[in-house]
Amino acid sequence: MSPTFTIPTWTEENRSLHDAICQARVSKESANSLQQLLQLNKEKFLNLLNNEPKNPSDRSTLNSSKAYINRTSHNVTKDFVTKALFISDQLDINEHVAATLLMRGTTEFSRVSSNSIDTAVLLYHGERGYLLACLDVILKSAKDASISEEIRTVCRQFIAELLKEKIVLKNGTSGTFVSELLITLENLSKTINAIVKTGSINGQMPEAGSGKLGEDISELRIERLGDERVYIVQILYHIISLFNIETNDKIAILELLEEAELSDPATAYMIIAMISALSNNNQTEELTLSSSTLAFVNTFHQRIMTHGSKVPVIKAVIILQWILYLFDPTRINQVVGTGHANRSETEIQKLLDFCIESDVFRFMNEYLLYFQQSNAMIDTERPTIKQSSGNNGNSSKTIDMSDYRNFNADIRNEFQPFVIYELEKMSISVISILSSALQKLKYSEEDTKTLSEQSNTSDNLSINESKQCHDLEYFLTFLASVFRNRVNEGLIFWNREQGGLHHFVRWLLDIKVAETVNAAFDFFDSIATGDICALNVFHFFKLGMDVDLASSHMFSWGKTLYVLQRYALIFNSNSEESEQRIPANENELILKFLGILKQCIQYCVEARKFFWENETIHLQNTLFDLLNCPTSTSLRAAIFDILSAFCSDWGGGIEGVGRRISYQMWKIMENSDMLVPKRKAIPEKSQTILQPAGILQELEFEKSSRVYTETLSVIRLIGSAIHTQSKRETLLLGFRDSESSIPLDLGKGTKYPGAIPFISLVIDEIFVNLGTYKYSYAEARWELTEACLMVMENSVESFNIKQFESAEYRQYLDKELKPLSNNSFITTSLLGFLTHPGFQVIIRILSGGKVIDEIFNTIEECAKKETKDVDSMPYHKKCLVRSLRILLRILNVQNTLCNVLIPYIAGFSKKKASSEFQLGEYIFDPLPSVVPLGQLILFHADILKRIALLVNYEDQEEVCFLSTKILSILCSVSKDSNSLDKQALGCSTSSTSFFDLGSSMTKALSSNDSAQAIIFSVSERLSINIPEVTTYDDYEHDINTIPFWLAEETLGNMYNYSNDLKPRINSSVRTAILDMLLDNIQQPFSPALTEFLLGYDLSSKNSLNKIQDTEANQASMVCFHAILSMLQQGIDKNSTGDDAMVEDTVGSAEPLINTHPILAEKCYELIYRLCAKKPLSISTMRYLRNRENFFYKQFDSMAPRVEHNIEVESTSFPGVIVCVDGSQYKTDFFKLRSKLHQRAWLLQLIALELHTTTGMRQKNETSKLLELLYGRKDGFSEDAMDITESSSNLFAITNTHLYEQPLVKMLELVSSLEFTWLDGLLEQIKTSDLKYFNDLNFSLFEIENQRGCKVYDVRNIYKILKERRDQCQTDSPDLAKIELEMESILLYIVAQNHSREITYAKLHCLKAWKQVVQITLVECFELISSKNRETIIYELLTMLLPKVIHTEGYDNEMLKSMSEAIVMLVNQLRKNTTVRSLSQLPIEKLQAMFDGIVNCICQKDTTVTVRGDMYSAITSFLLYIREHERDEAFKQFEQFLNDSITSNNTKLLNIICSDAVDGLDIWKTTAYIALDALNTMALNANSYVVQSFVIEKNFLQYTIDMIRNDDAALSNLVEQTDAPLLPLYIFEARMSILLRLAMNPKGAELLYNHRIFEIFGQCQFMKAQQHDSTLADMDIDSTFELTERYQQLIMPTLKLIIAILCSFDGKNDQVLLKTESWARRQQSALVNILTYKRRKITLTLLEQLKLVTTILYYMSCRKGYSEDFIKRGINQLHGAMIQLEIPDNLASNVIPSTNQERTWDKTPDNGSGYSSILEAKAAKIIKSIKYNLEIYKSCKEKK
């Protein structure tokens, strides 16, 4: 190791360590790697928060302006030295550590808007915090039953090792790890006190001139040190709860608690740790206590008995736990008795009495369990010292520091479950072990109550009250707090096997003291939480219920219900007595009872039905009667809470129970003047007035008290009655909509139908005014706000307008949209939407004004809070989440609502004379104007900034996720906005135009003063390494590949309990951010959000510098760097040697694609999209190339084979990869799919990089990649690549050692795709024989997903299956079989989707590979030495050809893609011959290639499309070998080719001819061309094998006949520009082979004998153009196109005729007569060609003249030709020929018509006397024409 490695330094690695631990704990396969990681960092945990001490020598070095930063020497400025020394002194750390820390702070301070010193301090504490967090997560993992036993064992063993270590403590002694924690805790306390008093860590005032940290950073530092203290005591607790620590450590904790103060935040944690240390559950089971245990008992008891405590009640808690420890049945006889000093039962009883007298139960309830109290959630700004104690600035009253009633504890949310856990164990032990003591307390209460009542006079009332015993009451209240709000945790009291606990419940029935009865009711309220517990409580209270309710037991439903009925009767029957009130004690008892009633109704289905439907107890009537009575506000609020519980859709409201009750409740509320304004008659005035809703009057009363319990309950009632569909319900209903909980005829006959008055009450009367109210508790406003937002959220979530997105439904509405139409069904339907609460909420929001302002203000106010504060402010968090959900929902539906629904409402309604409109029977006020939500957000610029910043709201996952989704929609074009905007509605004048706001959003964000903070927020969230786990419950991530009907968590949530958002793939913030970046970069506008977030210069117009590293933009680049850092994970870096900064002990060795495959795929796609986007491409690729060497490193690190690191043991989506060699790999579907796509994106990036660098002539970069792709890297380092251009082109080297093992990786990339996927879901299929669903055609449900892959629409299939299943009776014997078939079908189609997705991913990979090869061989061809080109192509061909032959593992599309690659390679092989004259490949390789191509064609399963490509390949191959030297070896090769053609009964020719005859039209062309090429090859080898075959098989005759059959199509394509061109291509291919035959006498004779002249004479296509009357009306381009097509038809025809005539040498009169017959039939076309003078003179025209005159020249050679032209019918042709004149200067008038001709026209023709090459060529043709004319005329004269 280098000496520099011993130099102290500071490293920023604890966050990475924390991420690595969190990543490793998710799967048991990571146990070994986790163990190694922990062992590597063991010393770090042992040292914990110990700093490297200051060193005089290091200080001297630093003072000499030399600093070791990251162990590297640097010369620094004096200012830097001063700052570094200041940090060293302030933090008490080593000088070199301080220098490194300062340098890091200097680079980071701009990001955090601070100075370098303060930033360094923050970084210092940040690292310490992450180290403690690492230890905390290890301990929690050791206890977490939800993770694998292997991981838990590793964590537990590691902590055990830490505890066994003997550590040298700071005081010089040796101690345990627990001792180290306790000393650290004390030191932190001293540090905090020193900073508070002096501002310095050493507790002394700083020297003059040395200064101290600023106030802000000092306060922040004190806060961080306080956080570290809390972390330490939490860690201490977790250790104690896992292990039995040493006696000395327990005594040390006891000593700390003896001196503890209630104002210390750590005190509560320490108490819980002590309780855990003495817990019976945490002790070694010993039948006979060991000497060490007895020694501990003696020592601990002695300490308790001999030492007091600053706070007696803290000691009382410890003593109570100690008594429980001693009285444990396994221990009591050995440690308690007269034989033990100070441990007799009498002494222990005294200790117990001391505990009771110290008020131990009330202390634990009010101090330790403060967060379980009724007002805990709204009383969030509790000061440590209670204000009620009289402690204010002007009070001189001394605070009793030992009185717990003067103090508030502060326990973090994440630790509260452990407090409850320990206190639950203690409370149960009290019941089990100290039952006799509880009985005594009960007697004591009864006795003191009796005495109190006997002497209860007004004079001694307060004295008697003080003597009244309340200890059992306090215990029950404490017990109630322990079990409050814990679903089904109270079940232990209802389990009869828990004899003591169940007996305790029954023992409570005998309680008589009223206050204790209240406490008992409170306890029953708590243990009624949960479906099972509520059912038990319901039946328990039902047991004591008598028919005569008045005779019922106190602990029953009957007694208190009778009291309620009695009071309702009194209040309603006698107006005088109605002035009385329910006594306070009875009111309290009723409230406690109603609490139990509410819990049972809320959680128990049976209880809810019983109390709502039972006509004996008349609970409904009683509750509503009491609401109209002069009862207390708290009682009315409790009644409203019960009604809300009745209506709720969770707990007992499942199975439609809550929905049915809500339906009835709306009717009841409609008739109540409490919620709806009613008209009240005034008799004396004979008129009515509109009386406001009663709740508004109650609200005015509540404003004075600043407590809004009744208002809150009413709002919650309205919200509960609006039901949304749960995920479970959606699945159970088969994605059908559930019935509405709101009656459609609600408000019928009133002016305000539907939910309008209720929404108006909540929003217009209450919500918008909440900011003006005053509140007794800090969080009470937000509790009310959350209730209002719940109403709004339920409203918009239940507002389902998907049907209006259907084009079919809109067409149906359009048909009914007629002036005289009166479709009542549509009117009723639209009324339902118009009066729906969701419509009313959205309209109020989109119209702007107070509502949206209040929502934005809510977001702003809640988001301003620090997230650690929000943990203790639950309603802040709920308000924030609900507000974001509302905005997201509105963004998703606003287009449809404003552009479709509102126009239809306007269209079907009738306009009134006023501004009102009528729909059906109802008249409505005019709808307000609405604008897009995005526009409102733009108008409120701060809210856009706030939403963007909320993308990183620390551990509030749902807030981050929702903010990301909102931001994504705001900055993108809606997919359905375009289609909806174009609707042609006659009534759509009021609809909103949703223009593109994306670009404006980006500009607003980029110009905001928090722009860099926004970018940093996104980068921080991207950097949070949350494990990627996908389960069935993530079905919303990809519903067509995840079996949602197996979603255990979703379907298991039977009672629809609300769950916090879990960090899963469906709701992953990192995935959502990547989706947002990907979606946005593909938007058409600019600037895009992605460009802003990734640091692109939005103001730059120069595409070359859109992105680059500068000193000024580092903060803007952090997001891009975060993505690149993720992709760099696991990529091998260059060795840094001994002078490395630090050893990389925390970095994960696994690439991102292995740990987070879905995320990695998205990252690679994003990089590709950035590189492929034209304005960003050049600068992005240059940045990646220069900064990261990205393309080289990424491809270099990519494994050649896809199965590398693909295995996954435990997964919800298992499958097996079966390779061609038989090897099998168990893996995960999503991992495999993502890995395939990731490889494809990377290959596409490589292709893009090759294309770019080649185009920009950066040969060095191109050559490096080419060498990596096709060569070996032996001996080449990265630095070796950076050499001069002249020597860097490895492909120019003639040595062949680079290709001794060529292309291995490139070959393996394709070879590894040759696998079969066996899906694990198929193993779950239980039946394959369909009986009930065998008529379904699942191919009708095929859709194309976002990737472009065709899959089954599982959602709709499930919907159809579920509808059929629901038609079956529940008691039908076929039901089980139907469900079995359903599941089997669904499993099969999802498995099919998996296979299709993987196949599609393989195809994507293959196409990307093909792109790389194509770019290489087309654009980079010159960079590969000519000697090596053919070698590369040959290797690639020999790899591909067998795969096309052996098709297993590939589908047709992949085979097609490979065949295209083969064609490309063979074509490139042929092009290579233009560089040199001869092929370099040996004959045997040529034979192998030809064999491979032929075998592909002849393969039995080869498709016609693949064969079509192979025909092209064989054509190119035959053209390629023409250049080969015709030596003896080549002649043998030609013989080999002929033998191959004739082998297997000429199978090859049979297949080619078959495809040419019966194949797909598009491939007929290639088949003909291939046949022609084979024929040419055979003829060159003096073989007529092909020619003979086409004759024997009658193929020649078929080919000729098909020309006539296609005549109509050929005629059409020269007349219509839009005619298909395929017949033309086939014609050209046929003519090619016919022309080849015509060039030799035998072939010409065959053609003549097969009536070629007759066929062409009958064809009309030659005459087509001259009969086209539309040409004059056509534009120039169309005319030119048709002319070109005509040339393509006429030229081959004329050439074929001439070729036949030439083969007969013009001397066969029969042939000449046939030619004349053809000419007579096509006379008009030929004459048209000869009369050229009115047309433009082009080379093509001259060629036609030449061909026609040549034909006529041959015809004129026949004897007797010149006789009687008229009789023979060729007089017009003859006349045109005679009249044809060719001027001498015609060549100079030729007009160029092609690019090639234009080039010739501009190129001089030296030495020929012509002005250009074009003129020279024209002159040559003209010469031939004149020759033909001269001969023709001379023949006529002679004859």
Side-chain angles (χ1 to χ4, degrees), residues 292-407:
S292 60
T293 303
L294 291 172
F296 159 68
V297 171
N298 292 330
T299 304
F300 198 87
H301 193 78
Q302 180 65 22
R303 180 77 192 188
I304 284 177
M305 298 300 291
T306 57
H307 289 74
S309 173
K310 275 189 177 182
V311 183
V313 74
I314 295 178
K315 194 67 172 286
V317 174
I318 299 170
I319 290 174
L320 178 60
Q321 183 70 353
W322 180 243
I323 293 171
L324 296 172
Y325 173 85
L326 294 177
F327 271 42
D328 185 81
T330 63
R331 197 177 296 117
I332 184 171
N333 294 330
Q334 302 179 61
V335 294
V336 177
T338 54
H340 303 283
N342 296 325
R343 294 205 300 274
S344 66
E345 291 192 7
T346 304
E347 293 291 336
I348 299 298
Q349 183 60 46
K350 290 181 181 178
L351 289 175
L352 183 58
D353 291 342
F354 163 75
C355 295
I356 303 297
E357 291 168 4
S358 300
D359 215 1
V360 66
F361 295 126
R362 194 148 63 134
F363 166 73
M364 290 190 291
N365 181 54
E366 295 181 8
Y367 186 81
L368 295 179
L369 289 176
Y370 72 90
F371 52 87
Q372 290 288 86
Q373 307 311 309
S374 57
N375 285 334
M377 292 180 71
I378 58 175
D379 187 14
T380 54
E381 294 185 359
R382 296 179 302 274
T384 302
I385 300 175
K386 293 181 180 179
Q387 298 297 322
S388 60
S389 65
N391 180 42
N392 53 54
N394 300 319
S395 176
S396 59
K397 181 179 179 181
T398 303
I399 298 172
D400 184 356
M401 301 299 290
S402 65
D403 189 351
Y404 71 87
R405 289 170 295 185
N406 293 331
F407 298 92

Side-chain angles (χ1 to χ4, degrees), residues 1518-1581:
L1518 293 173
L1519 291 172
Y1520 163 69
I1521 63 172
R1522 284 186 186 180
E1523 303 298 327
H1524 204 286
E1525 185 180 358
R1526 294 186 61 79
D1527 53 12
E1528 192 60 35
F1530 187 78
K1531 291 179 180 178
Q1532 293 178 2
F1533 176 55
E1534 286 183 324
Q1535 185 58 46
F1536 165 80
L1537 296 179
N1538 280 318
D1539 293 342
S1540 298
I1541 292 171
T1542 56
S1543 62
N1544 293 326
N1545 295 320
T1546 60
K1547 183 177 182 180
L1548 174 64
L1549 294 177
N1550 274 307
I1551 292 173
I1552 295 175
C1553 289
S1554 176
D1555 284 337
V1557 173
D1558 301 319
L1560 295 174
D1561 285 345
I1562 194 170
W1563 299 116
K1564 289 181 179 179
T1565 306
T1566 56
Y1568 275 114
I1569 294 172
L1571 193 63
D1572 180 41
L1574 288 171
N1575 183 41
T1576 304
M1577 180 275 300
L1579 292 175
N1580 289 340

Side-chain angles (χ1 to χ4, degrees), residues 1077-1091 1096 1103 1106 1165-1181 1245 1248:
L1077 296 175
L1078 272 169
D1079 181 61
N1080 193 260
I1081 197 60
Q1082 299 176 69
Q1083 298 298 325
F1085 53 79
S1086 184
L1089 178 69
T1090 303
E1091 299 172 40
Y1096 286 87
S1103 61
K1106 277 283 188 179
E1165 182 182 358
L1166 176 62
I1167 298 296
Y1168 172 76
R1169 299 288 181 196
L1170 290 169
C1171 292
K1173 191 166 185 176
K1174 191 173 181 179
L1176 310 178
S1177 180
I1178 296 175
S1179 58
T1180 304
M1181 297 188 75
L1245 277 167
L1248 200 56

Side-chain angles (χ1 to χ4, degrees), residues 168-402:
V168 178
L169 305 176
K170 289 184 178 178
N171 57 17
T173 62
S174 176
T176 63
F177 186 66
V178 174
S179 305
E180 172 76 4
L181 289 173
L182 293 172
I183 291 176
T184 302
L185 185 66
E186 290 186 73
N187 290 338
L188 288 171
S189 300
K190 293 176 183 177
T191 301
I192 292 172
N193 291 332
I195 295 174
V196 170
K197 292 177 181 179
T198 66
S200 175
I201 194 171
N202 53 22
Q204 298 178 358
M205 294 300 293
E207 298 176 7
S210 63
K212 61 181 181 180
L213 290 171
E215 289 185 8
D216 291 342
I217 192 65
S218 292
E219 289 180 6
L220 190 57
R221 192 173 176 217
I222 291 170
E223 183 183 319
R224 294 294 176 88
L225 289 167
D227 292 342
E228 290 173 9
R229 287 188 75 235
V230 172
Y231 246 136
I232 290 290
V233 288
Q234 284 185 349
I235 289 167
L236 186 64
Y237 162 75
H238 290 308
I239 290 174
I240 290 172
S241 65
L242 282 169
F243 301 95
N244 188 12
I245 61 175
E246 294 187 4
T247 299
N248 290 339
D249 292 329
K250 291 179 182 178
I251 297 297
I253 296 173
L254 179 59
E255 291 173 358
L256 284 175
L257 285 171
E258 288 170 352
E259 298 298 320
E261 295 181 353
L262 292 170
S263 59
D264 184 353
T267 297
Y269 297 88
M270 290 294 290
I271 294 172
I272 298 302
M274 190 76 256
I275 291 174
S276 181
L278 300 177
S279 170
N280 288 320
N281 293 357
N282 200 27
Q283 308 300 323
T284 306
E285 292 186 7
E286 300 173 311
L287 294 176
T288 303
L289 299 183
S290 63
S291 58
S292 60
T293 303
L294 291 172
F296 159 68
V297 171
N298 292 330
T299 304
F300 198 87
H301 193 78
Q302 180 65 22
R303 180 77 192 188
I304 284 177
M305 298 300 291
T306 57
H307 289 74
S309 173
K310 275 189 177 182
V311 183
V313 74
I314 295 178
K315 194 67 172 286
V317 174
I318 299 170
I319 290 174
L320 178 60
Q321 183 70 353
W322 180 243
I323 293 171
L324 296 172
Y325 173 85
L326 294 177
F327 271 42
D328 185 81
T330 63
R331 197 177 296 117
I332 184 171
N333 294 330
Q334 302 179 61
V335 294
V336 177
T338 54
H340 303 283
N342 296 325
R343 294 205 300 274
S344 66
E345 291 192 7
T346 304
E347 293 291 336
I348 299 298
Q349 183 60 46
K350 290 181 181 178
L351 289 175
L352 183 58
D353 291 342
F354 163 75
C355 295
I356 303 297
E357 291 168 4
S358 300
D359 215 1
V360 66
F361 295 126
R362 194 148 63 134
F363 166 73
M364 290 190 291
N365 181 54
E366 295 181 8
Y367 186 81
L368 295 179
L369 289 176
Y370 72 90
F371 52 87
Q372 290 288 86
Q373 307 311 309
S374 57
N375 285 334
M377 292 180 71
I378 58 175
D379 187 14
T380 54
E381 294 185 359
R382 296 179 302 274
T384 302
I385 300 175
K386 293 181 180 179
Q387 298 297 322
S388 60
S389 65
N391 180 42
N392 53 54
N394 300 319
S395 176
S396 59
K397 181 179 179 181
T398 303
I399 298 172
D400 184 356
M401 301 299 290
S402 65

Side-chain angles (χ1 to χ4, degrees), residues 735-772:
F735 297 102
R736 300 191 301 273
D737 296 331
S738 55
E739 294 179 3
S740 174
S741 64
I742 306 173
L744 286 175
D745 60 346
L746 185 66
K748 188 174 183 180
T750 68
K751 187 177 180 182
Y752 303 103
I756 294 177
F758 302 96
I759 296 301
S760 178
L761 170 69
V762 174
I763 296 179
D764 303 335
E765 301 291 345
I766 300 176
F767 177 67
V768 297
N769 297 314
L770 290 176
T772 64

Side-chain angles (χ1 to χ4, degrees), residues 479-742:
L479 202 58
S481 295
V482 168
F483 288 94
R484 184 169 290 122
N485 300 326
R486 300 173 62 205
V487 176
N488 288 329
E489 290 297 326
L491 191 59
I492 54 175
F493 291 98
W494 303 110
N495 187 350
R496 295 184 182 275
E497 295 179 2
Q498 299 277 350
L501 297 181
H502 187 65
H503 174 74
F504 171 76
V505 171
R506 305 199 66 79
W507 174 75
L508 293 177
L509 297 177
D510 197 33
I511 292 175
K512 298 180 178 62
V513 179
E515 292 83 353
T516 312
V517 171
N518 285 347
F521 275 5
D522 210 7
F523 167 65
F524 279 114
D525 183 342
S526 293
I527 62 171
T529 306
D531 52 290
I532 306 175
C533 286
L535 182 63
N536 280 282
V537 172
F538 170 65
H539 286 295
F540 181 78
F541 272 68
K542 202 174 178 183
L543 288 174
M545 189 174 174
D546 202 342
V547 176
D548 180 10
L549 298 181
S551 304
S552 300
H553 192 279
M554 173 60 71
F555 288 88
S556 74
W557 302 120
K559 191 71 173 180
T560 311
L561 286 177
Y562 167 74
V563 173
L564 291 173
Q565 290 176 0
R566 183 171 62 85
Y567 276 116
L569 186 63
I570 291 172
F571 288 138
N572 289 323
S573 62
N574 193 324
S575 58
E576 293 180 2
E577 290 185 8
S578 64
E579 295 297 324
Q580 70 179 38
R581 295 286 186 269
I582 300 175
N585 58 342
E586 286 195 35
N587 190 72
E588 184 66 23
L589 183 68
I590 290 172
L591 289 175
K592 296 294 184 182
F593 170 80
L594 292 180
I596 304 172
L597 179 64
K598 176 196 167 189
Q599 289 291 78
C600 289
I601 290 171
Q602 180 63 78
Y603 286 97
C604 178
V605 179
E606 185 180 342
R608 192 176 297 201
K609 290 180 178 179
F610 173 80
F611 287 117
W612 186 258
E613 299 169 358
N614 191 290
E615 297 181 358
T616 304
I617 59 176
H618 304 294
L619 180 61
Q620 278 189 53
N621 296 335
T622 302
L623 294 177
F624 288 115
D625 287 344
L626 285 171
L627 284 177
N628 295 316
C629 295
T631 53
S632 65
T633 300
S634 57
L635 181 56
R636 285 196 300 274
I639 293 173
F640 278 121
D641 286 339
I642 289 174
L643 296 178
S644 178
F646 269 121
C647 293
S648 66
D649 59 354
W650 59 278
I654 61 170
E655 300 173 358
V657 175
R659 195 179 300 276
R660 290 194 296 273
I661 294 175
S662 295
Y663 199 88
Q664 299 172 45
M665 188 68 74
W666 282 109
K667 291 289 188 180
I668 296 170
M669 291 192 294
E670 178 189 11
N671 297 319
S672 169
D673 59 2
M674 194 71 181
L675 303 177
V676 179
K678 297 287 185 181
R679 289 207 165 268
K680 184 177 181 181
I682 304 177
E684 58 271 18
K685 293 186 178 181
S686 301
Q687 62 182 26
T688 61
I689 61 170
L690 186 65
Q691 185 175 350
I695 186 60
L696 294 179
Q697 300 175 34
E698 297 295 327
L699 177 59
E700 292 302 317
F701 294 132
E702 288 188 319
K703 285 180 183 179
S704 60
S705 67
R706 301 185 179 184
V707 177
Y708 303 89
T709 52
E710 188 175 356
T711 303
L712 179 67
S713 299
V714 168
I715 297 170
R716 285 177 174 166
L717 169 59
I718 294 172
S720 297
I722 304 171
H723 283 214
T724 60
Q725 196 168 24
S726 68
K727 288 185 177 181
R728 180 176 183 273
E729 194 176 14
T730 301
L731 294 182
L732 293 178
L733 288 175
F735 297 102
R736 300 191 301 273
D737 296 331
S738 55
E739 294 179 3
S740 174
S741 64
I742 306 173

